[in-house]
Amino acid sequence: MQKILLTCSLIAAPLAALAQSSEATSATSSTSSTAAAKAGADAGQRAVKAQDAVVPSVTVAAERPTNRIDRQVYDVKSDVSSTNGTAADALNNVPSVAVDPDGTVTLRGSSNVQIMVDGKPTAMLQGDNRGAALQAMPADDIESVEVINNPGAQFGNEGGGGPILNLVMRRNRKPGGFGSVNANAGTEGRYNSAVNGSYNEGAWGFQGGMNVRHDGRNSTSEVSRDRLDPRTGNDVHSGQDALSKGLNNMVGANGTVSYNLNQTDTLTGSASLMARGNDQRSTEHYVNGATGFIAANEYVRDTARSGDAKNTSWGARYDHKGALPGETLKIDLRVSASDNDSDTDYASTYASGADTLGRTASRAFQHNDTSTRVVDFTGDYGRPLWDGTANMGYKIARTTNRFNTLYTDIDPATTVAAIDPSRTNRFDVEETVLALYGTYQMRLSERWGLLGGLRTEHTDMDIHQRTSDITAKNSYINFIPSMFATYKVADDANLRFAYARRLRRPQAGDLNPYVIYRDEFNVSAGNPDLKPTKTDSFEVGYETKFGGLETNLRGYYRRDTDAIVDYRYFIADNVLLTTRQNGQGSHASGLEFTISGKLTPTLTLNSSGNLMRNQQRSQDDAGVVTSRTANSLSGRVRLNWQMTTATQAQLALQMQGKTLSGQGYRSPNNTLNMSVRHALNSQWNLVANVTDIFDSNKMETIVDSTTLREISTRRFDGRVFYVGLSYRFGGAGSKRDDGDGFRPRPPGPGGPGGPGGPGGFGPPGV
């Protein structure tokens, strides 16, 4: 840690010197010649014009947050159901983004997605914890979602290294006080409530909120598996069906305090807490055919799971505006932690056959304790330079992951407990990243703008398998370039070009080689030999207005080298291991489009689609290399009807196409949601919504190799009805959107996204 602090001081010192130099320049300029002052002002104006040229925007009814040269910005506040929805629901309304009921997030068919909050990584949205955290976070806390398909040099590769979904949290900077309270009740005892408020007076600003939620999704699952028995040469059939139930309690709180030291300096502090339960009950029925080594058996397993999860974060930020137009210095420290523990009690009863120890009844207990710590310290400096704008910055980040699994076998006759060493392990991974980046944007002509950047990352990784007392280290340097360009075709039309190289390092859970028990015939493990995935992505886009509608068309191509994919093989008779491996490579290409705007004065359309072709090469457990191709169409169609001046109705159709995954693929999936909001008066709103009207939401995965064919189907309580009231008070920002589908973001000291967020085009933090 001393080494990190020393490095911090060494890097921060020149940045502070640059800020002091800016102030000194300002003081000196007051005594300089008029010509010199005018030259400096002209240079600043040219830089501002250059930035404007690089960042042209297309708006819908002057309400949509401005797109940037390297990202698309979507205002999720326009969703009628935002007052009782979750962050997962909000992401499901973003073009080409899909969040399944388990919390798996995909973008353009790829699950290699980073999710950030206000431009920074956070422990609560990493690893297996991410899905549950998205289901617990209120959608009403989110101002907009930034989709960054080709992250530039200012973004790091920790937490996934793929495309980025940045959640820009709601900020209010207008003077005075403002607040909102909502309460909602749903089917089967579900409920949620939240209160948010802000107060700004003079140099001080306060903002915070609290929320509670009792929610979850019950599920049923079916698995049909046919495996080639190498001893007999025959297919062996096995099957599984399960019923799982559990609604959990979730609570969250957050707060932000900002203080303007003077006209140029602002200090901001923030903290948040989110906690939830892990309670669940399930019953599984297994039928397994006979192989050349074991007899057929059939049994029922009852599972009771309990536990808790806690996510905490705090941060501090310093913003300084320099003497030159657009000159800024930002120093940001974020510390976040995620702790999850669960206790699972298994009880199995055999109707025929026996377990591996010859017992007709068995019981086991498993304790899992996982934690993630992220310390993220960044600095960014930007200023006009020549006829453009230069940005540079650093990152010092340390991520620590710890896994502790204790599996105890309990003799049903004597109740004597014995630790199973093959299923018990402790595993730690520590990753330290030191990064420097630089970008430069300029205006090449009246129509052309350019942004180029280069990032250098030094990574140290320490792996500790505590159970076996095995230690491994890895250290490497990567150079990551990016390039963006925009061409103004007309006043309301732009061409955009993008190229970026990214690096996906294996996650901590991907590296742990020890077997994690799910049931007697399904286990999982990581692979410590995984190599990082290198991704090169290219994109060209055209955006314009057509008959009052905003239209965007983007063509893209993505190539993955050493892609990390799921890999399944049998480690014993009927015992299937799911692990990870570096595949032979994959390619994805497609066309993505969005059409948004008013069809009539009362009817608004927000639609998007992604026509994708994905090709993937993988190797099965027999050593056979296969190449598969999937053509799929995914899309969103959302219609908002302003029925009266007080009532809005919204219908949203979500369609997810076929996607490849390791040795298999996931089948298409469609859902239809409906919401209605009625303004009782200027402060009270009544909101009702139903998700998955036709109760069709399911996850179906098919694996088809030379030795295994498996169809796994999982269905959820998709159709859930919520109704609630929302009350807004205070003078600032109380007006909702007018139903056109978009709302502007309020400004903050860090740009339109508020403190810590990359809301502007400039560097959001590395």
Side-chain angles (χ1 to χ4, degrees), residues 668-690:
N669 186 26
N670 305 316
T671 58
L672 181 66
N673 305 325
M674 182 178 181
S675 302
V676 177
R677 183 172 67 209
H678 176 71
L680 301 175
N681 54 41
S682 61
Q683 294 178 301
W684 286 94
N685 283 280
L686 176 67
V687 179
N689 66 285
V690 55

Side-chain angles (χ1 to χ4, degrees), residues 119-135:
K120 300 292 181 180
T122 176
M124 73 174 178
L125 295 177
Q126 294 189 13
D128 295 335
N129 183 63
R130 182 164 73 178
L134 289 173
Q135 295 288 354

